[in-house]
Amino acid sequence: MTKSTLLLSLFIALLSSCSKPAETLELEDTTAELSLDQEIVQSLPTGDNSQNALDWPGTYFATLPCASCEGIETWVTLNQDGTFVLKTHHMGLNDDLEEIFTGKFTWDESGSMVTFHGLIGSAPGKYKVGENRIWHLDKNGNKIEGDLADRYILVKQY
């Protein structure tokens, strides 16, 4: 029995002497890489928002309320390259007239609202972007409230 215990002890000693010790150089390199990665991550915006987490490019449609006509058919196309197309048609006024605006848009700091640049007159220029829909906002960038609030939501068509 002492022979087998001696052999087992010798075998364990042999196995433990064969294992390679960890190299501190590799550990130091990994630490340097981690701190560099942390600096990069800290410079990136944190959290998901409409701009970086939603499939927002596409065309949206709704018939917005109108005080002097039957409604304003509104098509908004948001393109991945930061351009837009806004088409409006005032129903019941001049059925042949469609207004078409094109230009660039920018995102706000939160990445949830776009502002159109290059519009003239009182054309709408701010929209909150959500999942498969955008909200037509007032001139101050606020959601429209009240009984007709749901009619200011444009739904993604394609």
Side-chain angles (χ1 to χ4, degrees):
M1 183 88 161
T2 46
K3 251 184 179 184
S4 61
T5 306
L6 182 62
L7 263 166
L8 183 60
S9 299
L10 185 61
F11 182 70
I12 292 173
L14 182 64
L15 280 178
S16 63
S17 68
C18 289
S19 65
K20 184 177 178 180
E23 294 182 21
T24 56
L25 181 59
E26 285 181 26
L27 182 59
E28 290 171 9
D29 287 346
T30 304
T31 305
E33 287 176 22
L34 282 175
S35 63
L36 178 61
D37 288 344
Q38 287 172 345
E39 289 175 23
I40 292 170
V41 168
Q42 287 175 354
S43 68
L44 297 174
T46 57
D48 290 338
N49 59 38
S50 299
Q51 182 180 6
N52 66 25
L54 298 179
D55 181 25
W56 54 265
T59 299
Y60 301 81
F61 173 78
T63 301
L64 303 180
C66 177
S68 60
C69 67
E70 296 170 21
I72 305 169
E73 291 180 326
T74 305
W75 295 266
V76 173
T77 300
L78 300 176
N79 298 308
Q80 186 72 40
D81 66 357
T83 60
F84 73 89
V85 177
L86 168 65
K87 291 192 315 185
T88 60
H89 172 243
H90 289 72
M91 298 178 345
L93 287 181
N94 187 348
D95 286 333
D96 296 335
L97 179 63
E98 253 186 19
E99 293 181 301
I100 300 175
F101 301 93
T102 61
K104 294 188 178 281
F105 67 86
T106 55
W107 290 91
D108 69 341
E109 288 181 15
S110 70
S112 64
M113 183 179 72
V114 294
T115 301
F116 294 168
H117 302 283
L119 297 178
I120 56 173
S122 62
K126 296 182 184 211
Y127 291 86
K128 178 169 178 43
V129 179
E131 185 70 38
N132 295 320
R133 63 192 65 233
I134 58 175
W135 286 260
H136 173 90
L137 303 175
D138 68 16
K139 64 182 179 181
N140 297 319
N142 299 312
K143 278 189 179 179
I144 296 170
E145 297 178 0
D147 294 339
L148 300 177
D150 289 345
R151 299 210 30 218
Y152 288 93
I153 301 171
L154 288 76
V155 177
K156 190 172 188 179
Q157 303 297 303
Y158 48 90

